[in-house]
């Protein structure tokens, strides 16, 4: 009888641990999903680019920051996401990880939400693209922006959730 109770408690503990870790793993996957195309765009591959790739910068500092720099920042974001839920991340103070992750999560969530709010306003005719952006916004590849901003929104929500859970666990 005692073995059954211990097994049940171990199962519940394992389930609780999975419930606490999946937001961090989801945030890490979203971060790597955001990083990967930045690296291939930096290498000159146009696949899944949200707009006119030929018209985008390729040989200057703007391209280096926009592709390689943002890809590297996203990889760092994946490591931060994993640190929030991994045993090796528990070696660091919870606030050192969770506070910046929470701030980044809120910022990314707001940024992603603002994109979809603007798309709604454009679709309903409440706002009109500025002439400088009208051609860019009409490009067929711009549809990829819906995917990338949804990924960004998912990343922000999951990173914020993982940060909040890490702070709660540290206090409890």
């Amino acid at each position: 009888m005692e073995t059954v109770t211990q097994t049940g408690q171990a199962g519940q503990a394992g389930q609780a641990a999975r419930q606490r870790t999946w937001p961090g793993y989801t945030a890490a996957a979203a971060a790597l999903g955001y990083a990967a195309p930045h690296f291939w765009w930096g290498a000159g591959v146009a696949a899944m680019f949200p707009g006119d790739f030929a018209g985008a910068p390729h040989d200057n500092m703007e391209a280096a920051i926009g592709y390689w720099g943002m890809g590297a920042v996203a990889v760092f974001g994946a490591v931060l996401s994993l640190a929030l839920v991994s045993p090796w991340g528990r070696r660091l103070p919870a606030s050192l990880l969770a506070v910046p992750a929470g701030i980044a999560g809120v910022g990314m969530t707001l940024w992603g939400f603002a994109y979809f709010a603007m798309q709604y306003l454009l679709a309903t005719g409440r706002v009109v693209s500025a002439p400088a952006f009208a051609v860019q916004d009409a490009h067929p590849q711009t549809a990829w922006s819906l995917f990338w901003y949804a990924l960004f929104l998912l990343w922000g929500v999951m990173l914020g959730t993982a940060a909040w859970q890490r702070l709660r666990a540290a206090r409890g």
Side-chain angles (χ1 to χ4, degrees), residues 88-160:
W88 55 267
R90 289 190 198 101
R91 294 180 189 152
L92 297 170
S95 59
L96 183 67
L97 293 173
V99 170
I103 292 168
V106 168
M108 289 188 297
T109 301
L110 291 174
W111 184 256
F113 178 75
Y115 174 81
F116 285 105
M118 181 57 72
Q119 291 305 308
Y120 169 77
L121 293 173
L122 285 168
T124 59
R126 293 194 168 188
V127 298
V128 179
S129 286
F133 296 105
V135 173
Q136 176 184 341
D137 291 342
H139 195 281
Q141 284 293 105
T142 304
W144 278 110
S145 293
L146 296 171
F147 175 77
W148 295 123
Y149 277 93
L151 185 67
F152 209 65
L153 188 58
L154 173 70
W155 181 12
V157 169
M158 292 296 105
L159 183 61

Side-chain angles (χ1 to χ4, degrees), residues 27-54:
L32 294 175
Y34 184 80
H38 284 79
F39 292 136
W40 74 60
W41 295 335
V45 177
M48 301 168 69
F49 189 79
D52 181 16
F53 189 72

Side-chain angles (χ1 to χ4, degrees), residues 23-87:
Y25 288 120
T26 304
L32 294 175
Y34 184 80
H38 284 79
F39 292 136
W40 74 60
W41 295 335
V45 177
M48 301 168 69
F49 189 79
D52 181 16
F53 189 72
H58 295 291
D59 294 328
N60 57 23
M61 186 58 75
E62 185 179 351
I65 293 169
Y67 302 137
W68 299 103
M70 290 307 295
V73 168
V75 169
F76 175 76
V79 172
L80 176 63
S81 300
L82 293 174
L84 289 167
V85 297
S86 298

